[in-house]
Amino acid sequence: MIFWRSVSPAKSRSAPFAADDRQREAIEHVHGPMLVIAGAGTGKTSVLIQRIARLIEQGHARPDEILALTYTVAAAAEMRDRLRALLGKKIRCTTFHDFCFDLLKRAGKDFGVLEENDLWIHLRKRIPELHLEHYVRAANVGQFLTDLLDFLSRCHDELLTPETYANYVTKLERGELAIPRVAKSKDQLSDDEVLGRCREISRVYALTEQWLLEENLGTFGHMMTRAYALLMRDETLLAAERARSPFILVDEFQDANTAQIKILAALAGESANLFGVGDPDQAIYRFRGASSAAFQLFGRYFSQTKLVVLGKNRRSTTAILQCAFAVIDKNPPVFSSTDHTSYRRSPLQSARDQDAKKSEAMILSSPVDAVSFPAKEAEASDIVRTIEGIRRTTHCQWKDFGILYRTHSHRDELAHELADRNIPFNIENMDVSDTPEVRDLFACAAVVVDVGSDASLFRVAALPQFDVDPEQLRSALRAIAGQSKEGTAVPLASVLGTVSGGHDVLDCVRRARDDVSRQNAKTRVALELIAKLFGSGVKSAAVQTALKFAAEWENKPTTKSKELGEWLEYLQYFREAGGAIAMTANANEDAVRLMTVHGGKGLEFSHVFVLRATTPSFPASYRETLVEFPEALRDPDSASAGDDKTLHDQEERRLFYVAMTRAKDTLHIYGKRGIGRDKTPAGMMREMISNSRLQPYLRARAALPSQPELIDLAAAADAHPAESRLAAWLALPAVGDLGARLSASAVETYETCPLQFKLEREWRLSRELHAAAQYGAAMHRVLRTYFDSIRLGRPKSDDELLKIFCDDLAACGLEDDYQRELYRQQGTQQLEDFLAASHVSLPPQVLHTEEWFEVQVAGTKVAGRIDRLDRSADGRVNIVDYKTGKARSQQEADESLQLSIYALAAQEKWGYRVGDLAFYNLQGNVAVMSKRTDFQLEEARARVLDAARGIANGNFEPKLGFHCSFCAFRGLCPAREKRIPHSLAPAPAELDPLD
DNA sequence: TACCTTGACATTTTT
DNA sequence: TGTCAAGGTA
């Protein structure tokens, strides 16, 4: 055995690096292409570093002739440091992107870099110029941009130009190729429609590329595509680059995409001194464009490739490795049979257990702990108790525990539980947008720019440093809302001025605005200034993260004035684009580490916990993209076997494998109990538990029942800082009887979330009406005019009606011109269709249009307005309700509380016998007919009664759920605030410097 | 073995 | 609000 010099003192490997035979083979390799398949924990980076050292020491290469490429800045820096420590020389270690960007820069072809969200925002702002017909919806203008950008980024990964795509569309038009999928599978489109969509995609792609070129901008993907194009175009440059880096080494090779591999192939040239190290079973960035077939592709480009497989794992116990292998080996082999290699996946050998056996030491290898739990809370409580138990027996540090999960939301219960038990922990990449501190700061900024942003001003008024009397404010708001006409907004600022303490708020806003303008402060500075003036915690880690985010924004190529107003507009789009402001945790802190599995890649922990290992949480279920990447456009080299769904499932399995192989000593996997006959957790846990060969390595058990009484109440109070004053405001007992008069939609709102119901009625904050609601109102008005005119015997002409609608819509104050235009087109179309259908059918005998009612239902006053009541041939009346939004289904019509209540009202108020109930969908121009039995009407009464009782009893608990994303109070709701427990906040000194 | 109903879930994020 | 798949039924 040969001993290499130790390269990693930081990792406390004080012993010299002892290479085994396989590692030595890789390290001693000199010329020609080589691939090293280095499984988890087999020392792949060490091998790479030792090979560089040897190339130099043996005189094969000068230090400057070596190029080492990685994917992350951190990995590149670490490698550079380790090499400097080992050789005392500087080696070129850089990321792929930096390398390509530098190449472009030297050629004078660099550009301003747009991140994905920035490109989204860029296109969103110019969306009218895209002239979209298919991929746009009036109600949500930017809805399909994400789907389109996904497709374009996929094109980049495959080095596909707009011209190639345009050619593809031409071939489609000629009928030479199979029609691709350009919408959800369930939407059956005509061939013409598909071609229209393809043309639209083609236009968007060409236009996007053109705009970026005109403004000298590009994405991270462009770093690759443009560098590749440059190398292909410029032979002299290519020759120079080849001469500059005769030896190229690539770490994490499994993350390479097609474009990157082609660049590597070009750079390596004839001599092909290309050395790739990685683990194909840990490829988890396919969604980022990494080709799941990177290793195969390498082999095809370089047929002389030597393959070395490292199989000795120095990290984990045999039990962990056996279980992990059982999971990963369900994936197909890494190489297909055509790849002429004898490589077959085999279980990694635990070097630790082998050594222990040799020295006849006791093996303290515990089996993998497979825990099933009945509910989330039980999972969190069992984990915490297990952690406490391990720490008691092994005296390890908190940072020896790593908690891994598939999605961020999976950690919430555990974070609470850890905080309750006073265990220090930190969360990697937590989104700070919903922390109270950041919400406060953003609200303050919004009112400084525009005091008329009511939701923000409301939040600011509730800050504890002001002494606004909430009861007084509430009654003032209610009084004014009661006087003014419905829909007329009363600015909160004007009301606030009349309430005690309100002046201070407005003064502070004014002062902040003056300071900002006097100092001509740009966003980052302005935010800090505002934070200080309003007394919100500048020192909080969340606020620091937000400030850093703003500072970075100021340096973006698309940022113009750098002023607060521009930033707030950006922030709004950023949210729409799905952006998150992620906080980096301090890895050195002695705290339990919580992160996603992606975040855990490359790390190791003595004790690993994997959460929610149940389908469809982890593995997550497949969701198809809106636009499929057509088979015909795939690079023939990179086309990997299997459809997207299969590839997705395989990647989930690799992700699970990555999670498991992070563990050194113990591994605990948690999954929700199955609901069928098989009570084991569905998914990979079930697979492992039922695998008899894993019996010695796996122990399945049920989670201990949670014992809430054990919680240290003092610690819990300490961990959750006192509720914000806003929360206290919103929790004030209701004024008056909110349930005195209900409507169908009020009952429904109460059923979805009692708190939302209360806030809507109580505070009467003027809310910006949704565009969809304004459109709906305009549409209702014109229909009413139409039926009224018929009843009065003076029917209006179609043109008159269309004009009425257009004028109405123009007057109703939709801010976005483009959106208004979309609605105008949509409304005109729907109206024309509706009128055309009306003209050919027998006109209904209309009794009432938009008729108000107020009746007693189950002892409660219920009010509403019926769109249309017709007399039917059999003497009954039919009720029609127009729907301007998404078309309602039969089931929705059958179950609608609104229609039931209308039926009850028609009976009560006028004594009508009710016949048909209809939702008339203007979209598609079809009526969905329904009926009500007495029993169903009784059910409706019961629903009203339930809601009325709940309201009377003062039950206004928030109900969290998917509906929260559409709730107007989302930014205020205390239930949706994410607090950072004490242990999370790093000391300010450890934060990144701001500039 | 093929449906259909019901319940549970809601992405990940190097550069 | 949609979607997927588990689990039950024809």
Side-chain angles (χ1 to χ4, degrees):
Chain A
M1 188 172 282
I2 294 176
F3 287 85
W4 303 89
R5 262 185 279 158
S6 169
V7 287
S8 172
K11 286 200 166 173
S12 75
R13 286 186 205 137
S14 47
F17 177 72
D20 58 39
D21 291 350
R22 294 302 186 71
Q23 289 176 323
R24 206 173 59 224
E25 192 184 342
I27 291 168
E28 292 178 354
H29 171 74
V30 181
H31 292 289
M34 175 176 270
L35 264 185
V36 180
I37 296 186
T42 53
K44 74 183 159 60
T45 308
S46 295
V47 164
L48 202 135
I49 283 172
Q50 295 293 350
R51 174 166 182 260
I52 292 175
R54 190 171 182 278
L55 284 175
I56 292 169
E57 284 172 349
Q58 305 259 320
H60 298 295
R62 293 196 312 269
D64 62 337
E65 287 179 326
I66 287 168
L67 174 64
L69 295 171
T70 64
Y71 287 87
T72 71
V73 177
E78 196 201 321
M79 201 186 288
R80 210 178 304 130
D81 291 348
R82 283 170 71 174
L83 279 163
R84 200 190 326 233
L86 183 70
L87 298 166
K89 297 196 176 78
K90 204 180 160 195
I91 305 291
R92 261 193 302 156
C93 300
T94 178
T95 65
F96 241 110
H97 290 88
D98 275 348
F99 173 79
C100 289
F101 202 51
D102 182 60
L103 191 73
L104 290 165
K105 206 181 283 175
R106 282 186 278 125
K109 296 200 182 302
D110 55 331
F111 50 84
V113 182
L114 291 187
E115 287 175 29
E116 260 156 282
N117 284 327
D118 295 329
L119 180 58
W120 190 98
I121 294 168
H122 199 61
L123 291 187
R124 175 65 186 79
K125 285 183 176 168
R126 294 182 74 170
I127 203 168
E129 296 170 64
L130 289 173
H131 300 292
L132 299 173
E133 284 172 33
H134 301 93
Y135 292 111
V136 71
R137 246 185 77 214
N140 184 355
V141 174
Q143 187 184 338
F144 299 112
L145 274 184
T146 313
D147 299 300
L148 290 172
L149 284 178
D150 277 353
F151 184 76
L152 301 196
S153 121
R154 188 67 207 278
C155 289
H156 274 146
D157 295 336
E158 306 256 350
L159 289 169
L160 187 94
T161 62
E163 294 74 34
T164 318
Y165 187 77
N167 289 337
Y168 164 77
V169 177
T170 313
K171 281 186 194 154
L172 277 181
E173 284 168 332
R174 288 200 223 113
E176 293 169 15
L177 292 169
I179 290 286
R181 183 176 62 75
V182 288
K184 288 285 162 68
S185 306
K186 60 167 184 142
D187 299 337
Q188 292 297 318
L189 304 181
S190 68
D191 286 4
D192 274 351
E193 171 84 12
V194 172
L195 283 174
R197 283 176 181 238
C198 288
R199 276 184 225 112
E200 190 155 303
I201 293 168
S202 184
R203 189 173 63 241
V204 170
Y205 192 16
L207 212 48
T208 306
E209 291 294 309
Q210 186 194 322
W211 286 348
L212 292 177
L213 280 174
E214 279 168 8
E215 295 169 72
N216 196 32
L217 298 169
T219 62
F220 289 109
H222 284 108
M223 293 181 186
M224 302 296 147
T225 54
R226 293 187 192 167
Y228 180 69
L230 185 64
L231 288 173
M232 290 295 101
R233 213 181 317 131
D234 189 338
E235 276 181 35
T236 330
L237 179 75
L238 181 58
E241 286 303 315
R242 283 178 178 170
R244 191 161 168 247
S245 315
F247 288 90
I248 303 174
L249 300 94
V250 188
D251 199 5
E252 304 282 8
F253 188 75
Q254 74 282 354
D255 291 337
N257 65 26
T258 310
Q260 287 159 341
I261 293 171
K262 290 197 165 187
I263 290 173
L264 283 176
L267 288 174
E270 290 286 306
S271 52
N273 292 323
L274 191 55
F275 185 84
V277 187
D279 182 359
D281 286 332
Q282 290 189 69
I284 54 173
Y285 282 105
R286 199 176 74 90
F287 73 95
R288 279 259 171 182
S291 162
S292 54
F295 277 73
Q296 279 187 62
L297 203 51
F298 188 101
R300 283 179 211 165
Y301 274 108
F302 303 102
S303 53
Q304 301 306 309
T305 301
K306 278 194 203 159
L307 193 70
V308 172
V309 182
L310 307 183
K312 199 172 270 187
N313 173 294
R314 291 149 196 269
R315 178 183 296 150
S316 317
T317 63
T318 302
I320 292 167
L321 293 174
Q322 286 291 337
C323 290
F325 178 77
V327 166
I328 196 64
D329 204 39
K330 289 242 162 48
N331 265 356
V334 172
F335 295 97
S336 63
S337 51
T338 53
D339 281 310
H340 309 295
T341 162
S342 56
Y343 172 75
R344 274 203 62 221
R345 183 163 36 220
S346 58
L348 295 170
Q349 300 304 309
S350 168
R352 289 173 54 192
D353 281 355
Q354 283 174 357
D355 291 350
K357 214 174 273 171
K358 255 183 246 158
S359 61
E360 287 175 3
M362 263 256 291
I363 303 170
L364 284 170
S365 182
S366 47
V368 171
D369 190 21
V371 189
S372 63
F373 57 85
K376 298 172 190 177
E377 295 70 28
E379 177 187 46
S381 122
D382 189 284
I383 291 174
V384 168
R385 275 191 278 170
T386 309
I387 288 178
E388 285 172 334
I390 292 175
R391 184 161 146 105
R392 251 195 321 274
T393 48
T394 67
H395 305 290
C396 63
Q397 293 186 285
W398 291 120
K399 66 177 174 192
D400 292 330
F401 295 98
I403 317 269
L404 302 174
Y405 36 83
R406 180 66 242 260
T407 73
H408 289 288
S409 59
H410 292 163
R411 64 156 190 254
D412 289 348
E413 286 76 16
L414 181 66
H416 271 124
E417 189 81 15
L418 286 166
D420 284 349
R421 303 283 297 183
N422 228 13
I423 294 176
F425 66 99
N426 60 37
I427 301 172
E428 194 59 65
N429 280 341
M430 179 180 148
D431 181 9
V432 297
S433 326
D434 282 328
T435 59
E437 305 94 302
V438 172
R439 278 183 173 187
D440 286 345
L441 177 64
F442 289 180
C444 291
V447 294
V448 167
V449 168
D450 174 16
V451 104
S453 33
D454 280 8
S456 296
L457 185 58
F458 185 63
R459 193 173 180 99
V460 175
L463 288 174
Q465 53 272 35
F466 302 115
D467 205 16
V468 176
D469 182 346
E471 309 253 14
Q472 212 186 335
L473 176 62
R474 185 166 67 174
S475 11
L477 279 168
R478 284 170 60 85
I480 291 181
Q483 290 159 15
S484 63
K485 225 179 83 205
E486 201 193 349
T488 332
V490 182
L492 176 59
S494 68
V495 183
L496 202 55
T498 69
V499 175
S500 81
H503 270 296
D504 295 344
V505 180
L506 297 171
D507 275 350
C508 194
V509 172
R510 223 168 287 131
R511 209 165 344 123
R513 185 180 308 148
D514 290 347
D515 283 3
V516 168
S517 73
R518 189 159 1 93
Q519 299 184 22
N520 192 21
K522 303 300 180 201
T523 298
R524 221 273 297 155
V525 175
L527 284 174
E528 203 168 359
L529 200 146
I530 288 168
K532 281 184 187 140
L533 255 177
F534 284 89
S536 45
V538 200
K539 280 189 193 147
S540 111
V543 168
Q544 288 293 329
T545 304
L547 290 178
K548 195 169 151 226
F549 173 75
E552 282 163 4
W553 167 79
E554 285 187 25
N555 291 322
K556 285 183 191 287
T558 36
T559 302
K560 297 197 174 75
S561 70
K562 303 193 178 190
E563 276 166 17
L564 213 43
E566 189 192 351
W567 185 67
L568 287 166
E569 189 200 19
Y570 173 83
L571 196 62
Q572 205 177 337
Y573 280 130
F574 184 75
R575 292 221 180 96
E576 218 184 306
I581 307 175
M583 185 166 79
T584 317
N586 174 8
N588 295 320
E589 195 184 5
D590 185 25
V592 174
R593 307 263 281 130
L594 276 65
M595 63 189 78
T596 62
V597 182
H598 285 91
K601 190 188 163 212
L603 304 178
E604 58 178 27
F605 302 95
S606 299
H607 311 286
V608 166
F609 293 77
V610 182
L611 309 191
R612 303 299 156 87
T614 333
T615 46
S617 293
F618 189 12
S621 62
Y622 169 72
R623 289 162 66 189
E624 73 177 13
T625 53
L626 189 66
V627 181
E628 143 199 79
F629 195 81
E631 194 62 44
L633 286 175
R634 295 246 170 99
D635 186 312
D637 292 325
S638 75
S640 42
D643 53 48
D644 280 351
K645 160 116 176 69
T646 312
L647 292 175
H648 168 269
D649 291 348
Q650 291 170 3
E651 178 137 323
E652 290 295 316
R653 197 171 277 283
R654 289 194 294 269
L655 204 50
F656 207 90
Y657 178 71
V658 168
M660 295 175 80
T661 52
R662 299 308 92 202
K664 291 201 277 189
D665 302 337
T666 70
L667 171 62
H668 313 262
I669 306 173
Y670 285 73
K672 194 173 175 199
R673 196 164 67 190
I675 49 173
R677 197 168 297 142
D678 191 340
K679 295 284 184 259
T680 59
M684 294 183 218
M685 278 181 80
R686 180 172 296 169
E687 220 177 81
M688 284 190 275
I689 292 168
S690 61
N691 183 345
S692 58
R693 286 175 45 212
L694 289 182
Q695 185 118 49
Y697 307 117
L698 188 80
R699 192 174 68 99
R701 66 173 173 98
L704 301 164
S706 52
Q707 294 171 292
E709 71 273 16
L710 282 182
I711 289 172
D712 178 347
L713 285 176
D718 192 40
H720 303 295
E723 283 209 307
S724 67
R725 234 167 62 104
L726 182 74
W729 278 25
L730 300 181
L732 287 173
V735 269
D737 185 4
L738 296 178
R741 188 167 179 264
L742 294 172
S743 65
S745 74
V747 172
E748 277 170 343
T749 305
Y750 185 80
E751 286 173 344
T752 12
C753 174
L755 184 63
Q756 185 189 348
F757 169 87
K758 175 165 174 266
L759 297 184
E760 272 178 6
R761 248 133 281 261
E762 224 183 13
W763 287 93
R764 298 308 194 87
L765 290 177
S766 65
R767 275 179 291 132
E768 218 172 277
L769 271 181
H770 275 295
Q774 303 205 31
Y775 166 72
M779 206 68 185
H780 274 87
R781 283 191 289 268
V782 71
L783 290 173
R784 180 186 186 176
T785 310
Y786 168 70
F787 284 109
D788 281 353
S789 73
I790 292 181
R791 210 175 32 184
L792 297 170
R794 286 199 305 266
K796 292 215 184 300
S797 73
D798 291 7
D799 287 345
E800 277 176 297
L801 290 163
L802 285 168
K803 180 159 189 328
I804 290 171
F805 166 72
C806 291
D807 291 348
D808 192 345
L809 190 73
C812 71
L814 279 173
E815 267 180 41
D816 186 335
D817 291 341
Y818 180 58
Q819 187 174 41
R820 190 187 321 114
E821 175 55 22
L822 289 173
Y823 269 129
R824 195 192 60 75
Q825 289 171 12
Q826 179 183 321
T828 307
Q829 183 67 56
Q830 290 184 351
L831 211 49
E832 280 172 351
D833 292 349
F834 175 81
L835 293 170
S838 307
H839 296 327
V840 295
S841 62
L842 215 57
Q845 194 191 341
V846 178
L847 293 169
H848 314 272
T849 51
E850 309 231 348
E851 189 73 21
W852 285 94
F853 64 84
E854 189 177 283
V855 294
Q856 288 287 327
V857 174
T860 303
K861 214 184 278 176
V862 174
R865 193 180 58 188
I866 299 176
D867 284 347
R868 210 179 90 201
L869 276 155
D870 300 343
R871 162 99 48 217
S872 79
D874 62 359
R876 294 168 186 265
V877 299
N878 298 335
I879 296 173
V880 181
D881 187 68
Y882 297 109
K883 291 294 174 201
T884 53
K886 197 185 60 105
R888 303 304 155 98
S889 67
Q890 185 64 54
Q891 191 182 358
E892 284 168 309
D894 292 342
E895 291 168 4
S896 161
L897 180 69
Q898 188 189 13
L899 288 182
S900 298
I901 284 183
Y902 287 2
L904 285 169
Q907 288 177 356
E908 296 273 325
K909 181 175 175 184
W910 296 281
Y912 291 141
R913 286 191 306 135
V914 177
D916 290 332
L917 304 166
F919 273 150
Y920 195 106
N921 290 317
L922 288 157
Q923 189 191 93
N925 202 33
V926 274
V928 184
M929 312 297 274
S930 185
K931 286 198 186 301
R932 289 294 183 273
T933 62
D934 287 345
F935 178 72
Q936 287 172 310
L937 292 178
E938 204 48 53
E939 281 181 325
R941 282 197 187 92
R943 278 174 74 181
V944 174
L945 184 62
D946 275 353
R949 274 197 191 134
I951 295 163
N953 291 337
N955 173 17
F956 299 111
E957 283 296 303
K959 211 180 199 176
L960 288 172
F962 193 75
H963 53 265
C964 295
S965 30
F966 317 110
C967 176
F969 301 96
R970 186 166 47 135
L972 295 175
C973 183
R976 279 186 58 90
E977 266 178 11
K978 288 215 156 86
R979 273 165 197 292
I980 307 184
H982 282 335
S983 65
L984 240 177
E990 283 158 349
L991 288 166
D992 294 331
L994 278 174
D995 297 76

